[in-house]
């Protein structure tokens, strides 16, 4: 939904009320209840990324893994307890997803400004965008008004988050199940222009795949042995891992995709032409990525009286 201009204040209020009643999201959801929330998140993410550039990628991945499990509802932020099993220890997340303390910091600051008003789900959606922007990527208007889940699903996290070993057909069908088409999938995969991956996620790629540049494979094998070193890190984009750009697609065209699932996008299949297009047109990649992020952020949000506004993102109220 497009942002409303200040010259249409009355229209904005009426529209905001309509959105709330209909359970839809609006970029102006907190315009009167927490007008400074976006600036609070932006400042905190700037500080976090300056402190550790990798954090931009980590928060983006956290948001992605949240949205793919029962929608964008902050369920991934919930800690396990003696009586509650969350998603943090699901196979795609265990010892892997990170950035929870950054979200905690933002939540504390937001609560100080406007108590019990802004959901953890919305904070995560804003933080994902701002991390991308801090690393030179595109911005987009984040629709707001999500509420937080009171539940989580470790089994859904195990089954619905795309695997780094996935084939192209599995990627396309997995994204389609979330309402995202193949173009969305290829654009969102461009998020692998930033961040790092653990050895165990790409070991089979560098030792077993044949559609890989031999020098690239040798470089990666130097820090990812046949056995052991599972948590050793390698950049998803060997050239500009802390810069959000379209080099990821160039890497795919030279058979230097780190994950098997990355290289599947350029391996004689249906996405080859789009990979070439994004490699040649960074502006188009940015536009499509931003649009796909908005689309992904609209997956099954809790609105209205569903869910809650958690006071602590790690536990239900």
């Amino acid at each position: 939904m497009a942002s409303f201009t200040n010259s249409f204040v009355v229209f904005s209020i009426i529209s905001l009320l309509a959105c709330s009643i209909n359970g839809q999201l609006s970029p102006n959801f907190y315009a009167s209840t927490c007008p400074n929330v976006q600036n609070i998140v932006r400042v905190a993410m700037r500080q976090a990324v300056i402190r550790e550039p990798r954090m931009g990628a980590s928060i983006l991945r956290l948001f992605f893994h949240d949205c793919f499990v029962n929608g964008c509802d902050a369920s991934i932020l919930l800690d396990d307890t003696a009586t509650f099993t969350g998603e943090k220890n699901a196979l795609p997340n265990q010892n892997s997803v990170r950035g929870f303390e950054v979200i905690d910091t933002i939540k504390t600051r937001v609560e100080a400004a406007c108590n019990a008003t802004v959901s953890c789900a919305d904070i995560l959606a804003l933080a994902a965008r701002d991390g991308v922007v801090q690393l030179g990527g595109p911005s987009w208007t984040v629709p707001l008004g999500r509420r937080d889940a009171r539940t989580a699903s470790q089994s859904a996290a195990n089954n619905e988050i795309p695997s780094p070993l996935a084939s192209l057909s599995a990627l396309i069908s997995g994204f389609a199940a979330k309402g995202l088409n193949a173009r969305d999938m290829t654009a969102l995969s461009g998020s692998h222009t930033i961040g790092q991956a653990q050895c165990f996620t790409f070991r089979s790629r560098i030792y077993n795949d044949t559609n890989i540049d031999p020098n690239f494979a040798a470089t990666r094998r130097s820090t990812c042995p046949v056995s052991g070193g599972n948590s050793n890190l390698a950049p998803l984009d060997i050239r500009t891992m802390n810069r959000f750009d379209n080099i990821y697609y160039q890497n795919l065209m030279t058979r230097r995709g780190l994950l098997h699932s990355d290289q599947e996008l350029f391996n004689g299949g249906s996405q080859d032409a789009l990979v070439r297009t994004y490699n040649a047109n960074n502006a188009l990649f940015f536009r499509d990525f931003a649009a796909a992020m908005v689309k992904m952020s609209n997956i099954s949000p809790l609105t209205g009286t569903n869910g809650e506004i958690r006071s602590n993102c790690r536990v239900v109220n």
Side-chain angles (χ1 to χ4, degrees):
M1 189 179 295
S3 297
F4 302 115
T5 60
N6 291 333
S7 59
F8 294 95
V9 176
V10 174
F11 179 73
S12 295
I13 294 172
I14 293 172
S15 298
L16 179 59
L17 289 173
C19 287
S20 300
I21 293 169
N22 294 331
Q24 297 172 344
L25 304 181
S26 163
N28 296 302
F29 188 83
Y30 299 110
S32 60
T33 57
C34 195
N36 200 37
V37 61
Q38 299 217 32
N39 187 58
I40 294 171
V41 177
R42 186 179 301 112
V43 169
M45 281 305 298
R46 182 186 304 126
Q47 293 168 342
V49 172
I50 288 172
R51 191 163 53 244
E52 183 191 3
R54 183 187 173 198
M55 192 53 69
S58 296
I59 296 295
L60 179 59
R61 183 167 181 260
L62 197 58
F63 183 55
F64 177 83
H65 282 212
D66 181 45
C67 290
F68 259 63
V69 181
N70 298 331
C72 309
D73 60 3
S75 58
I76 197 170
L77 303 179
L78 291 169
D79 284 341
D80 287 358
T81 69
T83 57
F84 178 86
T85 301
E87 296 163 16
K88 290 182 178 180
N89 286 306
L91 292 177
N93 297 332
Q94 190 175 39
N95 301 318
S96 173
V97 287
R98 59 196 299 275
F100 299 107
E101 71 288 345
V102 173
I103 301 302
D104 291 340
T105 295
I106 298 172
K107 178 64 172 175
T108 298
R109 295 179 186 180
V110 170
E111 286 293 303
C114 26
N115 180 55
T117 302
V118 180
S119 68
C120 299
D122 278 346
I123 286 172
L124 184 54
L126 289 168
R129 181 211 41 203
D130 293 339
V132 168
V133 171
Q134 286 301 311
L135 294 175
S139 186
W140 57 91
T141 300
V142 177
L144 300 167
R146 299 168 194 79
R147 287 166 67 84
D148 299 323
R150 296 189 182 97
T151 60
S153 176
Q154 188 175 105
S155 61
N158 280 326
N159 294 316
E160 297 177 20
I161 295 172
S163 166
L165 306 178
S167 65
L168 179 60
S169 61
L171 290 169
I172 291 173
S173 62
F175 277 73
K178 304 300 177 183
L180 300 166
N181 60 36
R183 189 181 186 98
D184 299 325
M185 182 271 293
T186 300
L188 289 170
S189 296
S191 63
H192 287 178
T193 186
I194 53 176
Q196 302 181 64
Q198 296 184 74
C199 168
F200 78 92
T201 65
F202 60 85
R203 178 180 283 117
S204 63
R205 162 98 175 120
I206 62 175
Y207 287 100
N208 301 324
D209 285 3
T210 56
N211 59 342
I212 187 168
D213 175 75
N215 293 326
F216 175 71
T219 298
R220 293 281 65 91
R221 289 171 184 167
S222 67
T223 55
C224 183
V226 175
S227 62
N230 281 352
S231 61
N232 292 353
L233 296 172
L236 287 158
D237 173 1
I238 195 171
R239 294 174 58 189
T240 57
M241 74 177 199
N242 290 325
R243 180 76 183 173
F244 197 99
D245 53 31
N246 64 340
I247 297 296
Y248 167 80
Y249 299 102
Q250 187 175 117
N251 293 336
L252 300 186
M253 292 174 62
T254 55
R255 300 186 303 162
R256 294 191 296 175
L258 182 63
L259 305 179
H260 177 87
S261 56
D262 287 328
Q263 198 60 54
E264 282 288 286
L265 301 183
F266 192 83
N267 193 36
S270 63
Q271 300 307 294
D272 283 20
L274 186 55
V275 168
R276 290 191 183 96
T277 298
Y278 287 156
N279 175 62
N281 191 335
N282 188 67
L284 178 62
F285 162 51
F286 274 23
R287 286 197 298 273
D288 281 5
F289 180 83
M293 283 297 295
V294 172
K295 196 171 175 182
M296 185 179 76
S297 77
N298 279 301
I299 297 175
S300 305
L302 297 172
T303 59
T305 56
N306 294 317
E308 64 183 18
I309 305 297
R310 283 186 225 139
S311 56
N312 178 343
C313 292
R314 294 175 180 265
V315 295
V316 297
N317 291 342

